Amino acid sequence: MSQIYLKTEDEIELLRAANLLVSATLTEIAKIVKPGVTTRELDTLAEQFIRDHGAIPTFKGFPNPMGGPFPASICTSVNDVVVHGVPSDTPLQDGDIVSVDCGTLLDGFCGDSCYTFCVGEVSDDVKQLLRTTKESLYEGIKAATVGARIGDIGSAVQTHCERAGYGVVREFVGHGIGHEMHEEPMVPNYGKRGNGKQIKNGLCIAIEPMITMGSAEIALLEDRWSVVTRDRLPAAHFEHTIAIHHGKADILSSFSAIEQVEGKLY
Ligand code: MG
Ligand code: MG
């Protein structure tokens, strides 16, 4: 059993820098997401931007027990793709959504954050899914206080999404983060209040609800990466990396610049 590695204040600042670089990368993507753009173009921009800032895109070459290493610097999951979508030459279309998950390694620490973007004009139903998923992320963050437990986070996310009639994906979860992108503990998007490990100052975790419009059942595509909803209804994914210090959550990544680019979309 590997241990939870609690971070010092100095380490939290290094994690913040890596995460703000992810947020800046996602902001660059926000500026160019529109109908006709390919996810490969988003990937090219992201890789260049990350390397120009002296960091490494951690997703590139990420090993896959089911197949070959991940071929790109970001995951681009379109519509019914829940997570781990592989960038391609297929242009995005008006009404699509695309979740862009991005990871960096900067000065020995990892950044990890994801945002689901609207492409052109998206239906009200889908906007509602995005709104609820993002809200659930912040509900989870609010639950992450010293003395609370990991299950409190999952319970907050699950309650918020299931109340709206959405599915909560079980097979993929949030995680500790530090020198490694995936550390202990696992942070599920479901759970029971009062269950799981206790939250302490210095805990750094990525919380990342993956929420479906319909059933939460998933399937793996032939590329051995793309995870889709079995009913092929859309899914949304938002992720922040947070640090617990001074008793509560400090969000190390940021959506504020992205949301400024987006304007009042939903
Ligand atoms: Mg991520
Ligand atoms: Mg993550």
Side-chain angles (χ1 to χ4, degrees):
M1 270 299 282
S2 47
Q3 292 256 326
I4 295 179
Y5 150 40
L6 300 173
K7 279 76 182 176
T8 65
E9 292 289 316
D10 287 349
E11 289 172 324
I12 288 171
E13 291 316 309
L14 290 167
L15 263 176
R16 191 192 309 278
N19 276 283
L20 288 179
L21 178 56
V22 172
S23 303
T25 307
L26 293 176
T27 304
E28 291 306 303
I29 285 171
K31 291 175 187 169
I32 67 161
V33 166
K34 60 170 190 288
V37 168
T38 69
T39 47
R40 197 184 304 281
E41 289 171 311
L42 303 183
D43 178 54
T44 302
L45 174 127
E47 177 166 8
Q48 193 64 52
F49 190 82
I50 291 167
R51 293 196 193 279
D52 283 350
H53 287 79
I56 294 167
T58 42
F59 293 4
K60 193 143 198 181
F62 198 83
N64 181 357
M66 316 280 288
F70 196 73
S73 295
I74 53 173
C75 298
T76 53
S77 303
V78 179
N79 297 334
D80 60 345
V81 183
V82 183
V83 284
H84 304 161
V86 179
S88 77
D89 293 318
T90 307
L92 293 168
Q93 293 183 30
D94 191 39
D96 283 348
I97 53 171
V98 57
S99 303
V100 179
D101 197 347
C102 179
T104 58
L105 179 67
L106 177 68
D107 295 331
F109 282 90
C110 288
D112 188 9
S113 180
C114 178
Y115 198 91
T116 303
F117 297 96
C118 293
V119 182
E121 195 45 52
V122 167
S123 75
D124 288 344
D125 280 4
V126 172
K127 282 182 187 169
Q128 182 62 42
L129 173 69
L130 301 188
R131 190 182 304 125
T132 304
T133 305
K134 197 199 277 187
E135 286 166 356
S136 79
L137 169 58
Y138 289 105
E139 291 296 317
I141 291 170
K142 226 191 297 172
T145 55
V146 166
R149 291 183 180 272
I150 293 294
D152 297 345
I153 299 172
S155 169
V157 171
Q158 179 181 13
T159 303
H160 190 76
C161 294
E162 289 185 347
R163 189 185 288 148
Y166 299 135
V168 176
V169 171
R170 301 295 202 274
E171 291 84 346
F172 297 92
V173 297
H175 48 89
I177 180 165
H179 289 304
E180 305 290 330
M181 188 164 63
H182 297 131
E183 296 184 357
E184 290 290 314
M186 292 206 291
V187 184
N189 296 305
Y190 57 92
K192 286 200 164 53
R193 293 185 58 181
N195 278 14
K197 296 210 169 77
Q198 203 161 29
I199 295 170
K200 296 178 177 162
N201 278 318
L203 180 73
C204 295
I205 51 175
I207 303 178
E208 48 178 315
M210 291 154 250
I211 305 301
T212 62
M213 181 89 96
S215 155
E217 277 187 64
I218 55 167
L220 188 64
L221 293 188
E222 307 83 74
D223 66 10
R224 298 276 168 195
W225 279 109
S226 307
V227 174
V228 295
T229 55
R230 223 173 245 287
D231 59 16
R232 308 314 288 259
L233 289 172
H237 182 199
F238 288 88
E239 175 179 26
H240 269 316
T241 291
I242 68 167
I244 311 298
H245 58 164
H246 314 302
K248 59 182 173 51
D250 180 359
I251 306 176
L252 303 182
S253 42
S254 170
F255 293 156
S256 58
I258 299 169
E259 286 166 347
Q260 248 174 334
V261 173
E262 277 195 320
K264 191 111 190 78
L265 259 187
Y266 55 89

